[in-house]
Amino acid sequence: MNDVLAELTKMLAERRVSGSADSSYVAQLHSKGLNKILEKVGEECTETLLAAKDAETSGDKDNLIYETADLWFHSMVMLSHLDTDIQAVLDELGRRMGLSGLEEKASRN
């Protein structure tokens, strides 16, 4: 699973630095700036939430998987735009392993 994330991270970095907005969706997003990227993350978040509600009713999870992939992708574009390595997010998730969710949340206060 991490191979996919590693390849995607590499591609996002390359497109951010040397991609052409004429031929790359990622480069186009970067050229439009953070607000456009955040707009896409918000849009994909809403579509994921709606797909989850539909999946609960219908039992069909195909659209939920599709929309979640879009949300993850656009979130990774956002991290790339802010020069933040996906490994930092994975490290944070790893740090939380073995912690009670309630304990982790309480530690934020």
Side-chain angles (χ1 to χ4, degrees):
M1 182 167 53
N2 283 344
D3 290 344
V4 171
L5 291 176
E7 286 297 313
L8 186 52
T9 298
K10 180 181 173 188
M11 182 273 298
L12 291 174
E14 289 170 357
R15 302 270 167 86
R16 177 178 170 233
V17 173
S18 61
S20 166
D22 293 331
S23 60
S24 167
Y25 174 68
V26 171
Q28 189 176 84
L29 283 173
H30 284 298
S31 73
K32 291 181 178 181
L34 182 61
N35 284 345
K36 182 61 177 179
I37 294 167
L38 295 177
E39 181 183 305
K40 288 301 296 178
V41 171
E43 176 187 317
E44 298 305 338
C45 181
T46 300
E47 290 174 359
T48 300
L49 295 173
L50 294 172
K53 291 298 286 181
D54 290 346
E56 181 182 47
T57 303
S58 71
D60 182 0
K61 296 178 182 142
D62 289 345
N63 196 43
L64 173 61
I65 292 165
Y66 180 87
E67 294 300 343
T68 301
D70 279 353
L71 176 59
W72 287 12
F73 174 81
H74 287 88
S75 294
M76 290 179 70
V77 172
M78 174 190 66
L79 291 169
S80 173
H81 190 79
L82 296 170
D83 200 25
T84 303
D85 191 351
I86 187 69
Q87 188 60 51
V89 176
L90 296 173
D91 291 346
E92 175 59 18
L93 288 171
R95 184 192 69 77
R96 295 179 186 187
M97 295 298 294
L99 289 177
S100 156
L102 296 174
E103 289 173 8
E104 194 282 326
K105 191 167 184 155
S107 74
R108 295 185 212 167
N109 296 332

